[in-house]
Amino acid sequence: MKNHKRDFLKKAALAGIGTASLGACTHYLPTGSTANFYINHPKLPKVMVSKKRIIKETVGLRPFRQSGPRVALQELGNKTIAHNYGHGGSGWSLSWGTAMLAAELIEKTHPKTIAVIGCGISGLSTARTLQNKGYHVTIYTKDVYPNVTSALATGTWSPTSRLLNPDRLTPAFAAMFQKACQYSYDAFQRLLGIQHMVDWMESYSIRQEKPSTDSYNHYSLHDKLFTSDMDFYPSSTLLNRRENPFKRSTVYRSPTTIFNIPVYMKMLRDDFLLAGGKIEIKTFNRLEDIDNLPQQHIANCTGLGSLELFGDEELMPISGQLAFLVPQPELRYRASMGGVYFIPRQDGVMLGGNGINNNWDTTPDATVTDMYLEGVQEMMRRLRS
């Protein structure tokens, strides 16, 4: 009798565990509901949108070049210069790839010591690439992080963002891009898991009937540059109603790579110095200043500085304004709608989306920030509870 009672209690306890587990994992709907029985869309936390939560506003100048980034050798008197500049909005994404291409050009000249001009993401990546090949490198720069243009970037994987004028695309550039893009992607994936310098995050693109006012269509450029062999990056998925966390019929989801800029830039600089590199503060106003350097081989990573220094008339600034809200560590997704996006980073929830051609003004515009706040608020209103 006791054994039967003990068996009954065990079975009852197991049944209780089972029903408790089901209750914790399943969403139930009222009888007669026409909705799907299971609600599969993720419960996403909301961005706390308020002017009072803004901690900083910045305007960065993207070094856009009409025919795309310049990665080429130039003989200048007794100096050999490897150019690596003009990446537009793709500087972070292509940094390791174009650094590799510039280093390969320099290797052909058999140098021993090399000077790198510029200490942004292109300059530091090029310097580290050269060090890894065994060269002694000195960086000459007028500013260091955080007072460099690279510190004002969005910090996401965007290898075709304002890369070049689509009318100037050539087969030679496409081949160069494909090599640099693949190399950069592989390099970034090797950095995963190190202090969250590089991370993956879900990205939601909420489509509206009204098209974006941005005249630069990087989607068409992407289609021209990426071949069928370049399928290494996860593609986007159109969400069905059960998967869609937003009250909008057309929403795409895709994983995207995020760069934690403060930690990343500090790592590059520290690694460069630990490997024996030197950083010297120096301003270059004319070519004679370059000629006076003790090194014969130089990597030019000056971005927009090459407009004045080397007379590259293809260069122009494309300004981009950002606003940062108080960090929200619980946010693990980004979203965009109507030309406005938000991206949670460790240094704040970043809001952005604009680009003004040939604009040198780095003063934040209050109306642009208001547009960002309104755009993100609208996204949060459409977020399912």
Side-chain angles (χ1 to χ4, degrees):
M1 185 70 176
K2 289 183 179 180
N3 290 337
H4 290 303
K5 184 176 182 180
R6 188 183 304 114
D7 290 341
F8 170 80
L9 291 174
K10 285 183 180 179
K11 291 176 181 177
L14 289 173
I17 292 172
T19 54
S21 300
L22 279 173
C25 298
T26 307
H27 299 278
Y28 291 96
L29 297 172
T31 303
S33 172
T34 58
N36 290 309
F37 186 79
Y38 293 105
I39 302 174
N40 293 335
H41 64 75
K43 298 297 187 294
L44 302 177
K46 289 191 173 184
V47 179
M48 299 178 189
V49 187
S50 170
K51 272 191 174 182
K52 294 181 180 180
R53 293 182 65 84
I54 294 176
I55 54 178
K56 64 179 176 180
E57 298 170 89
T58 64
V59 177
L61 302 180
R62 306 175 183 95
F64 177 78
R65 190 168 181 270
Q66 293 291 335
S67 59
R70 186 184 183 189
V71 184
L73 277 181
Q74 178 184 3
E75 298 296 333
L76 188 67
N78 65 343
K79 305 289 188 183
T80 299
I81 299 175
H83 294 292
N84 181 17
Y85 67 87
H87 298 75
S90 64
W92 273 85
S93 299
L94 297 179
S95 56
W96 288 115
T98 57
M100 175 270 295
L101 295 176
E104 288 180 350
L105 292 176
I106 293 176
E107 279 187 301
K108 296 177 181 178
T109 62
H110 307 292
K112 293 182 179 179
T113 61
I114 302 171
V116 173
I117 307 176
C119 200
I121 187 61
S122 293
L124 283 169
S125 299
T126 301
R128 287 293 295 130
T129 299
L130 290 167
Q131 282 184 325
N132 289 338
K133 290 179 175 292
Y135 297 111
H136 298 286
V137 184
T138 299
I139 292 177
Y140 296 93
T141 180
K142 66 177 181 179
D143 286 308
V144 294
Y145 182 84
N147 301 315
V148 291
T149 301
S150 298
L152 307 178
T154 302
T156 60
W157 176 259
S158 55
T160 60
S161 174
R162 293 177 169 86
L163 181 64
L164 82 161
N165 183 335
D167 295 335
R168 304 288 293 273
L169 180 60
T170 64
F173 179 86
M176 183 272 286
F177 167 84
Q178 290 156 8
K179 185 177 181 180
C181 186
Q182 180 72 69
Y183 187 90
S184 277
Y185 175 80
D186 293 340
F188 284 125
Q189 302 319 301
R190 289 193 293 270
L191 296 175
L192 287 170
I194 306 175
Q195 298 180 358
H196 293 284
M197 292 185 305
V198 180
D199 216 339
W200 281 89
M201 180 179 294
E202 293 290 354
S203 177
Y204 294 89
S205 177
I206 308 164
R207 305 294 172 85
Q208 291 180 307
E209 292 76 21
K210 184 179 179 181
S212 170
T213 56
D214 190 346
S215 61
Y216 185 90
N217 188 351
H218 68 87
Y219 292 107
S220 62
L221 185 59
H222 179 281
D223 294 341
K224 294 176 182 177
L225 285 170
F226 279 79
T227 65
S228 58
D229 295 333
M230 297 179 67
D231 60 351
F232 53 83
Y233 206 77
S235 59
S236 60
T237 302
L238 176 62
L239 300 181
N240 60 40
R241 188 180 184 282
R242 290 188 302 171
E243 300 168 321
N244 189 352
F246 293 92
K247 301 171 187 176
R248 172 71 69 174
S249 60
T250 307
V251 176
Y252 288 84
R253 181 180 64 202
S254 60
T256 189
T257 307
I258 303 292
F259 311 122
N260 180 12
I261 289 179
V263 174
Y264 194 106
M265 293 289 285
K266 183 179 184 300
M267 177 210 73
L268 280 184
R269 183 202 62 196
D270 291 352
D271 286 355
F272 172 74
L273 295 174
L274 285 171
K278 298 178 182 179
I279 298 177
E280 294 190 20
I281 304 301
K282 184 176 178 61
T283 301
F284 295 86
N285 297 314
R286 52 185 184 169
L287 292 178
E288 286 79 3
D289 295 330
I290 294 179
D291 193 50
N292 291 331
L293 292 176
Q295 295 88 353
Q296 301 301 307
H297 300 81
I298 297 158
N300 169 39
C301 305
T302 56
L304 284 171
S306 292
L307 173 59
E308 180 179 352
L309 192 57
F310 290 94
D312 190 338
E313 297 295 334
E314 287 195 46
L315 280 168
M316 76 168 181
I318 299 181
S319 64
Q321 181 167 325
L322 300 174
F324 288 78
L325 303 176
V326 175
Q328 289 183 242
E330 73 275 16
L331 294 176
R332 291 296 303 155
Y333 71 100
R334 59 165 289 181
S336 62
M337 184 178 75
V340 174
Y341 60 77
F342 70 84
I343 302 173
R345 296 193 334 200
Q346 291 187 9
D347 55 336
V349 181
M350 181 176 59
L351 317 183
N354 82 324
I356 304 175
N357 290 350
N358 211 22
N359 178 40
W360 290 93
D361 189 359
T362 58
T363 305
D365 185 341
T367 60
V368 173
T369 297
D370 288 343
M371 178 186 73
Y372 293 164
L373 292 171
E374 291 169 6
V376 177
Q377 282 176 336
E378 179 62 22
M379 281 187 257
M380 294 302 99
R381 281 193 289 267
R382 296 181 181 279
L383 187 63
R384 299 182 191 275
S385 59

